[in-house]
Amino acid sequence: MKQSLPEEQKDDIDPVGAKVMVIETLLSSDPPDVVDRLKHMCVLPGGLINNSLRKKVWPRMLGITREELGKDKPADDLLETHRDWRVVELDVERLLKRYPPDLSVDKRKALEASLKRIIMRTLYGTDYYYYQGFHDIAITIQLVLDDEDMSVAILKKLCDTHLRVLMMPTLVETVGVLQYIYPLLKRGNAELHDFLVRSNIGTMFALPWLITWYGHNIQENVPYSLVVRLCDLFVASDPYLPMYVGAAIVLDLSEEIFQLPEDQAEVHMFLNNLPVSLPWESLISHALDLYSEYPPASIAAEAATYDPQHMDRRARQRPKKAALAGQDNQNLWLAAGVALSVAVLVVAIGVAILSSGKKTEQKS
């Protein structure tokens, strides 16, 4: 007969400590289903608890060993020849708020230099395109692992699996993933779904959620522990799960959304500034329930049929790198320069014509 602990002893059990012991036991005993069981630990409330465990569990789940680290490591001067080097350099320099505030200037600069190498080593020798938002995921990996070679290995693996569709030359594949949010909203709250469709906000409101794993939207509102907890979840799950979390968030905010006018700008702004306090573990649980009930394959056909008017048409056609802030500024200055040159040329021609006319009059 199975015996249970007395109630007073149950109250003494530390659930966090118990979970740490379970994870450590899994890592040391290495059962045949260890990867599946570790993924289950990532999904449960609290994720992997601490960075010490993440340093062990993430590589184990992704099949990475220390023996393979640092192989074929390109020289720094080669990294600077990559097409995306300058954009990466600018993006990393804008990540000041993601680093601990008590770091010395020298330490922060060293971490920034390391992050640039991590990102460029991940991209070097591949056909993947850097996108603005990849650096938000990369810095989370960097801060957790505190190991440049392992960070590169983890990111390379994620690019081959979870982030693959985001690393394409255009946003076509990315928009295809974003479209999954509407079938989920329709099943969760048809009235809310119709409200958002009438508001014509499309899917771009969810783009930062997907491409940064929520690191960009919530970094100023929530503790670092939530950012890494979400990273635990997404590393251990299907690449489409960020959209299920997004659907759970929107469904949870339905009352607030219904208070808004059916206006594209206002609804978009609201969803791009998530409230400070969201019930994240509850939202994750809801997202997992949605995934269980409506897996990606079951809604793929419906997601693909959503009318393009619900999307940003320009996002389907332009290269991602042209959408980057740094490139946008460069393009604006180039356009301004061309316009100015044309204006100067027109004025010069006008002056020449007038001068020629006056000379003709004088001769006659």
Side-chain angles (χ1 to χ4, degrees), residues 54-347:
R54 291 183 179 98
K55 291 177 181 179
K56 302 173 186 176
V57 174
W58 286 358
R60 185 69 185 86
M61 287 194 304
L62 296 173
I64 298 169
T65 62
R66 295 214 66 86
E67 289 71 27
E68 62 189 87
L69 299 183
K71 292 182 178 180
D72 303 321
K73 184 176 178 180
D76 288 357
D77 58 340
L78 287 178
L79 298 179
E80 295 181 16
T81 65
H82 192 278
R83 61 172 177 250
D84 292 324
W85 165 257
R86 181 55 181 158
V87 177
V88 170
E89 189 174 41
L90 291 172
D91 278 353
V92 169
E93 290 171 359
R94 286 193 286 263
L95 279 174
L96 176 62
K97 292 182 180 179
R98 289 294 306 274
Y99 286 113
D102 57 344
L103 286 180
S104 67
V105 174
D106 289 343
K107 177 62 175 176
R108 179 175 57 79
K109 287 184 176 180
L111 285 173
E112 287 179 353
S114 176
L115 182 58
K116 292 173 190 175
R117 289 194 300 271
I118 288 169
I119 294 173
M120 297 314 305
R121 286 176 57 191
T122 301
L123 298 174
Y124 190 85
T126 74
D127 293 328
Y128 294 138
Y129 284 77
Y130 172 81
Y131 66 85
Q132 192 172 30
F134 183 75
H135 61 308
D136 282 290
I137 296 176
I139 192 174
T140 300
I141 303 293
Q142 178 197 34
L143 292 176
V144 167
L145 299 179
D146 193 26
D147 182 324
E148 189 171 311
D149 288 341
M150 182 59 79
S151 296
V152 172
I154 293 284
L155 281 170
K156 280 180 175 289
K157 184 69 71 171
L158 292 176
C159 287
D160 290 339
T161 54
H162 297 62
L163 306 176
R164 186 178 184 85
V165 298
L166 309 180
M167 312 292 289
M168 298 294 105
T170 72
L171 279 171
V172 172
E173 294 84 358
T174 301
V175 169
V177 177
L178 292 173
Q179 288 176 247
Y180 277 70
I181 198 168
Y182 276 102
L184 294 171
L185 293 175
K186 188 175 183 179
R187 285 156 176 76
N189 187 329
E191 185 180 357
L192 176 63
H193 165 275
D194 294 345
F195 176 93
L196 294 175
V197 170
R198 290 194 302 270
S199 300
N200 197 30
I201 63 166
T203 56
M204 288 298 109
F205 70 90
L207 179 64
W209 302 351
L210 174 65
I211 66 176
T212 71
W213 283 0
Y214 297 83
H216 180 73
N217 296 75
I218 63 177
Q219 62 186 349
E220 296 181 7
N221 297 336
V222 299
Y224 164 79
S225 59
L226 175 57
V227 177
V228 294
R229 189 271 177 273
L230 288 172
C231 201
D232 290 337
L233 175 70
F234 296 140
V235 169
S237 305
D238 187 290
Y240 286 85
L241 193 66
M243 298 318 303
Y244 286 78
V245 173
I249 290 172
V250 177
L251 290 168
D252 184 74
L253 295 172
S254 60
E255 290 187 12
E256 290 89 339
I257 293 173
F258 283 136
Q259 298 300 314
L260 301 171
E262 290 181 5
D263 177 76
Q264 183 186 54
E266 289 207 36
V267 178
H268 192 280
M269 183 180 298
F270 174 78
L271 290 173
N272 269 268
N273 293 276
L274 297 179
V276 174
S277 57
L278 284 173
W280 283 100
E281 289 299 343
S282 175
L283 294 173
I284 291 170
S285 178
H286 188 189
L288 293 170
D289 288 341
L290 288 171
Y291 183 88
S292 178
E293 191 168 359
Y294 311 112
S298 72
I299 60 174
E302 182 180 346
T305 61
Y306 267 79
D307 194 289
Q309 71 177 351
H310 302 315
M311 310 173 212
D312 183 347
R313 291 176 183 272
R314 292 170 298 176
R316 284 181 162 273
Q317 299 171 353
R318 71 186 182 197
K320 282 186 183 178
K321 56 186 178 181
L324 297 169
Q327 189 68 44
D328 275 347
N329 291 337
Q330 195 174 26
N331 290 343
L332 286 171
W333 281 110
L334 179 61
V338 171
L340 181 61
S341 298
V342 171
V344 170
L345 180 61
V346 169
V347 171

Side-chain angles (χ1 to χ4, degrees), residues 19-30 34-35 37-39 41-42 48-66 69 141 144-147 150-151 154 232 235:
K19 188 176 185 182
V20 170
M21 289 181 62
V22 170
I23 295 172
E24 293 283 13
T25 301
L26 286 172
L27 289 168
S28 60
S29 61
D30 198 26
V34 64
V35 172
R37 293 170 71 175
L38 289 173
K39 287 182 177 180
M41 292 293 106
C42 290
L48 292 175
I49 308 299
N50 59 57
N51 286 351
S52 178
L53 288 176
R54 291 183 179 98
K55 291 177 181 179
K56 302 173 186 176
V57 174
W58 286 358
R60 185 69 185 86
M61 287 194 304
L62 296 173
I64 298 169
T65 62
R66 295 214 66 86
L69 299 183
I141 303 293
V144 167
L145 299 179
D146 193 26
D147 182 324
M150 182 59 79
S151 296
I154 293 284
D232 290 337
V235 169

